[in-house]
C-alpha cells in the first residue's frame, strides 16, 4: 500500500513521519503548518495520487487537527478516489471532528508521535530503540517536566526547530532526509549521562557531517554549496524570463548574496536570481548581465545596486506550493510588461 503522510512541521510532527518510515517504505511525505497549508498539501497529495494511480493507497494525517469543513471535504475527495484516510492526533481542538468522523482518532494524553508508534507497533512490532525515542519526544511535547527524558527532549525540540538549512518548499524530499538524519544521530545520545549536554555540544558537528560529503569547510559554506548544487539539479523547473533575460526564482532560500552569486557563477546561462521571502521581500542578484536595480525598481519600486537589489512585493501571498509562488512573480512581470507596452503605444 502507498501511504501519503501529511504531518506538522515541528519535532512531534516529524517524529511521526520518522516512525512511519521505520515501519513502511512506500511512503511520500508532506509537511504543513496550520491553516491553508493543510489544504494546499492535501491537494498536492490528490494530484500526486491521480498522477501515479497506485492500486491501494491511504492518506495519513498526524499531529494536525482539522476543521469540520476540512474533514467533510477530505472525506468526500477520498471516497471519490477510493482512498483510505486516517488521522492520528492529540490536539483537544479536534474533539468535535473526532466525534463525527470514524477515521479521526484523538487522544490528548499522549503526543502524536506516541499515538502513531502505539498504533503501528501493535500492528507490526515493538522496537526498543524506537520506544526510547518516542518517550523523549513525548516528555517534551506534552511538557512532562519531571520526566527523566525532559531535558534531552528540549534539545531534540531545538534541534528540529533550528533545522532550517534545507528549505522544505524547494527541497521537500531532501528536507525529510535531513530531519531523519538528525533523528538517527540524536537517538545515539539516549541513555547517556548528561545526554542533553552532550547532544547540544555535538549538534554543529552532526550538521557538518550531513553536508560535508567528505570535505571540510565552515558549516555556512557547506550549506551554500549543498543548496547551489541542488538548485542546479532542478533549475529547469525554476526558470523565469524578464525582458529577454533568463533567471531563476527561489523561495526563502536564505543567504541570498552567497547562494545567488554562486548559482550564477555555476550556471552562466542564467542572467539573474530572485528569492521571494515569506515577509514579501524580493532579493535580486545578477552577475553583470542585467542591472537588477532597474529590474527591482520596475517590478516593485525597489532598488539597490546593479548586481544586488531588493524590494517589497505587497500583494504577494505566502504558500507552501512553489508553483503558486512562481505564478505570482510571473504575473507581476507580465503586468509590468503590459503596462510598458500600453505606455509605448500611447506615446506613438
Amino acid at each position: 500500500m502507498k501511504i501519503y503522510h501529511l504531518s506538522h512541521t515541528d519535532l512531534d510532527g516529524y517524529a511521526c513521519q520518522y516512525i512511519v518510515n521505520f515501519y513502511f517504505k512506500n511512503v511520500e511525505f508532506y509537511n504543513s503548518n496550520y491553516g491553508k497549508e493543510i489544504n494546499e498539501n492535501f491537494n498536492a497529495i490528490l494530484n500526486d495520487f491521480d498522477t501515479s494511480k497506485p492500486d491501494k493507497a491511504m492518506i495519513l494525517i498526524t499531529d494536525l487537527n482539522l476543521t469540520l469543513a476540512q474533514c467533510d471535504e477530505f472525506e468526500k475527495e477520498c471516497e471519490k478516489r477510493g482512498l483510505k484516510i486516517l488521522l492520528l492526533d492529540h490536539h483537544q481542538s479536534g474533539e468535535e471532528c473526532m466525534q463525527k468522523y470514524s477515521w479521526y482518532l484523538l487522544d490528548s494524553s499522549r503526543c502524536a508521535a506516541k499515538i502513531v508508534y502505539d498504533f503501528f507497533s501493535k500492528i507490526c512490532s515493538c522496537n526498543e530503540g524506537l520506544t526510547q525515542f518516542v518517550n523523549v519526544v513525548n516528555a517534551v511535547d506534552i511538557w512532562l517536566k519531571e520526566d527523566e527524558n525532559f531535558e534531552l527532549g528540549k534539545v531534540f525540540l531545538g534541534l528540529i526547530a533550528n533545522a532550517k538549512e534545507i528549505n522544505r518548499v524547494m527541497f521537500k524530499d531532501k528536507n525529510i532526509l535531513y530531519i531523519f538524519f538528525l533523528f538517527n544521530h540524536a537517538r545515539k545520545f539516549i541513555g547517556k549521562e548528561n545526554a542533553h549536554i552532550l547532544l547540544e555540544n555535538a549538534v554543529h558537528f552532526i550538521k557538518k557531517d550531513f553536508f560535508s560529503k567528505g570535505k571540510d569547510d565552515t558549516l555556512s559554506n557547506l550549506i551554500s554549496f549543498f543548496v547551489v548544487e541542488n538548485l542546479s539539479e532542478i533549475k529547469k523547473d525554476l526558470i523565469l524570463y524578464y525582458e529577454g533575460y533568463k533567471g531563476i526564482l527561489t523561495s526563502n532560500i536564505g543567504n541570498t548574496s552567497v547562494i545567488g552569486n554562486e548559482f550564477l557563477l555555476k550556471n552562466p546561462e542564467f542572467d539573474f536570481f530572485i528569492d521571494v521571502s515569506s515577509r514579501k521581500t524580493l532579493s535580486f542578484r545578477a552577475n553583470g548581465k542585467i542591472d537588477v536595480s532597474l529590474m527591482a525598481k520596475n517590478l516593485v519600486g525597489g532598488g539597490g545596486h546593479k548586481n544586488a537589489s531588493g524590494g517589497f512585493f505587497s500583494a504577494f501571498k505566502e504558500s507552501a506550493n512553489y508553483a503558486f509562488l512562481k505564478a505570482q512573480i510571473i504575473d507581476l512581470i507580465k503586468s509590468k510588461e503590459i503596462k510598458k507596452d500600453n505606455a509605448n503605444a500611447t506615446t506613438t
Side-chain angles (χ1 to χ4, degrees):
M1 174 178 282
K2 175 83 172 183
I3 299 175
Y4 298 92
H5 188 178
L6 173 61
S7 197
H8 199 201
T9 57
D10 63 357
L11 170 65
D12 196 20
Y14 282 118
C16 293
Q17 294 180 319
Y18 184 73
I19 295 161
V20 170
N21 186 68
F22 177 84
Y23 286 113
F24 306 99
K25 296 309 172 189
N26 193 15
V27 186
E28 188 75 27
F29 296 107
Y30 306 77
N31 293 92
S32 174
N33 287 307
Y34 290 101
K36 67 175 184 178
E37 270 198 37
I38 295 177
N39 295 78
E40 290 175 352
N41 276 278
F42 183 78
N43 290 331
I45 290 172
L46 294 182
N47 182 67
D48 291 344
F49 171 78
D50 290 341
T51 301
S52 57
K53 296 189 185 326
D55 291 335
K56 294 182 180 179
M58 177 178 73
I59 295 178
L60 173 63
I61 302 173
T62 59
D63 199 33
L64 291 167
N65 66 267
L66 307 181
T67 64
L68 285 170
Q70 286 173 324
C71 287
D72 185 58
E73 177 189 348
F74 293 3
E75 184 175 76
K76 288 177 180 177
E77 291 296 334
C78 287
E79 286 178 352
K80 280 195 292 186
R81 292 167 171 80
L83 265 167
K84 295 183 181 297
I85 184 169
L86 172 66
L87 184 144
L88 302 174
D89 188 36
H90 69 127
H91 296 102
Q92 291 177 333
S93 50
E95 186 172 354
E96 190 176 7
C97 296
M98 177 195 69
Q99 293 173 354
K100 185 174 181 180
Y101 296 94
S102 61
W103 48 265
Y104 199 116
L105 305 184
L106 172 66
D107 180 0
S108 61
S109 68
R110 299 170 286 170
C111 73
K114 186 164 178 56
I115 296 170
V116 170
Y117 175 69
D118 290 345
F119 184 90
F120 287 111
S121 63
K122 288 179 182 178
I123 297 172
C124 303
S125 62
C126 292
N127 178 273
E128 183 179 353
L130 210 54
T131 300
Q132 294 173 344
F133 168 77
V134 169
N135 287 339
V136 173
V137 176
N138 188 66
V140 70
D141 193 74
I142 62 173
W143 216 250
L144 304 176
K145 293 184 69 175
E146 303 305 318
D147 193 288
E148 61 180 353
N149 294 303
F150 181 71
E151 289 300 326
L152 181 58
K154 283 165 60 178
V155 182
F156 272 44
L157 190 69
L159 177 66
I160 301 307
N162 295 316
K164 306 298 185 185
E165 292 83 4
I166 301 178
N167 184 292
R168 69 181 178 89
V169 174
M170 302 296 302
F171 312 116
K172 179 173 75 77
D173 294 337
K174 296 290 175 66
N175 177 61
I176 285 291
L177 288 175
Y178 181 46
I179 297 295
F180 288 177
F181 177 90
L182 295 177
F183 279 149
N184 285 336
H185 282 266
R187 283 178 58 185
K188 297 175 183 178
F189 292 84
I190 299 175
K192 292 186 177 182
E193 186 177 358
N194 293 320
H196 58 298
I197 299 173
L198 294 176
L199 175 56
E200 183 181 68
N201 290 342
V203 167
H204 178 77
F205 298 99
I206 292 172
K207 290 186 174 185
K208 285 189 72 172
D209 189 35
F210 180 86
F211 292 105
S212 65
K213 293 188 176 180
K215 71 171 186 176
D216 197 16
D217 205 331
T218 64
L219 180 58
S220 178
N221 285 344
L222 292 172
I223 293 169
S224 296
F225 179 81
F226 175 91
V227 173
V228 169
E229 185 178 53
N230 281 273
L231 285 175
S232 299
E233 290 177 2
I234 61 172
K235 59 187 177 183
K236 290 183 180 178
D237 299 323
L238 313 178
I239 294 173
L240 280 177
Y241 290 98
Y242 174 81
E243 295 187 350
Y245 292 96
K246 182 180 178 180
I248 181 177
L249 175 71
T250 63
S251 170
N252 290 301
I253 208 67
N255 202 8
T256 309
S257 291
V258 173
I259 291 173
N261 285 309
E262 288 297 321
F263 176 85
L264 293 171
L265 285 172
K266 185 172 182 177
N267 301 275
E269 71 272 23
F270 286 84
D271 305 314
F272 63 88
F273 183 105
I274 305 177
D275 183 72
V276 58
S277 79
S278 54
R279 301 185 304 277
K280 302 188 177 187
T281 58
L282 294 177
S283 296
F284 301 81
R285 295 294 182 271
N287 196 23
K289 296 180 183 178
I290 179 176
D291 187 339
V292 291
S293 68
L294 296 178
M295 184 180 183
K297 181 180 179 180
N298 179 40
L299 291 179
V300 289
H305 303 284
K306 182 178 180 180
N307 288 320
S309 294
F312 184 75
F313 184 11
S314 60
F316 177 75
K317 295 180 180 179
E318 174 66 355
S319 173
N321 185 311
Y322 174 80
F324 178 70
L325 302 180
K326 184 178 178 182
Q328 292 180 74
I329 306 302
I330 291 175
D331 288 344
L332 174 65
I333 293 173
K334 287 182 177 179
S335 69
K336 298 301 179 180
E337 289 176 345
I338 292 171
K339 186 176 180 180
K340 182 179 179 180
D341 290 341
N342 289 340
N344 290 337
T346 302
T347 56
T348 57

